Amino acid sequence: MPGISGLPNNSILLEFDKNHPEEIDEVRLGAQLAVASLFNVLILRSTKYRFGYRSSIHVWVTDDNISNVSMMLLLGYILVGHPEWKRAKIRLFACSGSWEAELDANRLSTVIKEGRLPISMQNVTSVPYESEEGLEQEVAHRSAQADLVIFGLTAEDINSDRLSDLLQRFQDVNDVLFVHSIEQIAID
C-alpha cells in the first residue's frame, strides 16, 4: 500500500473470510513478518456483507490499543474520501476497563487534539466495560449495523498464540479491520 504524501510503502493489508477461519494461519504468518519488517499491519475480516451501505465506520479504542488511534482514524478518513463512502459517518468509541471512563475519554481528547486528528468530540462515546466479554457485548450492541468496524492490535497480539482468537472476536458485527500501527503515540 503506497505511503501518504510520497512516503515509501509502509503498510500491508491481509484479508480472510469470516466463514473460513482456516485462512487465519496464513494471515498470522504474514502479519508477523510485516511487524518484524516494521510495516503497519491491516487485517480485514471480510463477510458477504461487503461493507453494506458504506454509511458508517465505527472505530473502537481500548486502553491497550490507544497507540493505534491515529492510524485507525486516518484510515477511516481515507475511506470517507472515496466516492462510495462519501456519506459515511465516523464514530469513535473510547473504551475503558475502569470506571474512570470520562477521564480516559479526556485523555483520548488530548491525543486527538495533539495529533490534529479530524474528529469532533461529539462523535466520541465513552464506553466502560468490566471484562473482555463485556467489551464484546458493547461492540455487538453498538456496532452490529456498522458497515465497517475498526479495532486495534498490538505487536504482542500479532506475535502471540491468541491472534487467531482475537481475529475471531466480535462475531455479531460485519466487516472488521484490525489495525497495528508501527508509529506509536506517547501517552502519559
Side-chain angles (χ1 to χ4, degrees):
M1 187 180 291
I4 297 170
S5 300
L7 296 173
N9 294 341
N10 63 356
S11 301
I12 185 166
L13 173 64
L14 305 164
E15 179 182 10
F16 72 97
D17 187 306
K18 180 179 179 177
N19 296 320
H20 296 283
E22 67 275 6
E23 298 172 352
I24 293 176
D25 282 338
E26 190 173 337
V27 167
R28 181 178 49 79
L29 292 173
Q32 289 171 344
L33 178 62
V35 166
S37 301
L38 301 178
F39 275 68
N40 298 312
V41 178
L42 314 173
I43 302 173
L44 178 63
R45 185 183 75 200
S46 59
T47 65
K48 291 180 182 176
Y49 188 70
R50 303 308 286 169
F51 308 115
Y53 297 107
R54 294 173 171 83
S55 63
S56 59
I57 299 171
H58 289 185
V59 177
W60 287 82
V61 179
T62 61
D63 295 334
D64 59 343
N65 70 34
I66 197 166
S67 61
N68 295 309
V69 70
S70 295
M71 173 69 87
M72 293 161 60
L73 286 172
L74 177 62
L75 290 167
Y77 278 97
I78 288 171
L79 283 173
V80 170
H82 189 278
E84 291 182 16
W85 285 87
K86 67 182 176 189
R87 290 184 297 276
K89 302 286 187 244
I90 298 174
R91 294 196 56 204
L92 183 103
F93 296 92
C95 306
S96 175
S98 71
W99 290 107
E100 298 175 356
E102 287 301 320
L103 178 65
D104 289 338
N106 289 338
R107 189 173 79 170
L108 183 60
S109 173
T110 301
V111 171
I112 289 170
K113 288 176 188 166
E114 288 176 358
R116 297 186 193 134
L117 301 175
I119 188 162
S120 166
M121 287 308 291
Q122 293 175 333
N123 293 337
V124 177
T125 303
S126 294
V127 179
Y129 68 96
E130 293 184 35
S131 65
E132 290 299 315
E133 294 79 24
L135 177 61
E136 296 239 4
Q137 291 171 355
E138 288 291 340
V139 173
H141 172 72
R142 296 171 188 262
S143 295
Q145 301 301 315
D147 297 310
L148 178 64
V149 173
I150 301 176
F151 207 87
L153 289 174
T154 64
E156 293 79 24
D157 292 336
I158 291 172
N159 288 313
S160 75
D161 293 335
R162 64 187 197 115
L163 179 62
S164 178
D165 293 335
L166 292 172
L167 295 176
Q168 294 182 71
R169 294 172 73 187
F170 317 118
Q171 287 293 311
D172 295 329
V173 299
N174 296 306
D175 300 308
V176 181
L177 181 64
F178 294 93
V179 175
H180 168 65
S181 174
I182 57 169
E183 183 178 323
Q184 304 297 309
I185 298 172
I187 299 174
D188 298 329

